[in-house]
Amino acid sequence: MGPWIQSTRNGFEMAEEEINRLEAGTAQGEQSIMVQRDMKAWAVEKGMWPAANYKDIIVLHAIDRGWLQENFTGMEIVE
């Protein structure tokens, strides 16, 4: 009798898929991609692209969109 993996239907493919699942790499999500596109369009409109530091663009874009607020960390408890 051969190894169990050879007796299963598509055994090799199943094993390969399981390995890929266990050793999954990172992937960028759609929301992240949309925010990056919006940020670049904003930076081009403001004349910051490509001369400004990328980290500065991130912070200024977040401030302009209202995502960064004073005395707000996002960890506050709202009842």
Side-chain angles (χ1 to χ4, degrees), residues 15-34:
E16 185 180 22
E17 288 175 11
E18 186 68 10
I19 289 169
N20 290 338
R21 186 182 70 81
L22 294 173
E23 297 178 2
T26 58
Q28 188 172 11
E30 291 179 28
Q31 183 178 10
S32 172
I33 293 169
M34 289 174 23

Side-chain angles (χ1 to χ4, degrees), residues 17-74:
E17 288 175 11
E18 186 68 10
I19 289 169
N20 290 338
R21 186 182 70 81
L22 294 173
E23 297 178 2
T26 58
Q28 188 172 11
E30 291 179 28
Q31 183 178 10
S32 172
I33 293 169
M34 289 174 23
V35 169
Q36 283 184 325
R37 287 180 182 164
D38 179 57
M39 182 176 62
K40 182 176 179 183
W42 175 87
V44 168
E45 180 183 310
K46 298 289 183 181
M48 299 177 69
W49 192 268
N53 185 327
Y54 189 67
K55 289 185 179 182
D56 293 340
I57 292 173
I58 293 170
V59 171
L60 294 173
H61 177 256
I63 290 170
D64 193 56
R65 295 290 188 250
W67 297 339
L68 294 180
Q69 302 169 12
E70 288 185 34
N71 302 318
F72 183 75
T73 64

Side-chain angles (χ1 to χ4, degrees), residues 4-14:
W4 68 270
I5 200 160
Q6 291 178 352
S7 65
T8 61
R9 180 176 167 228
N10 298 325
F12 178 76
E13 289 82 7
M14 289 172 51

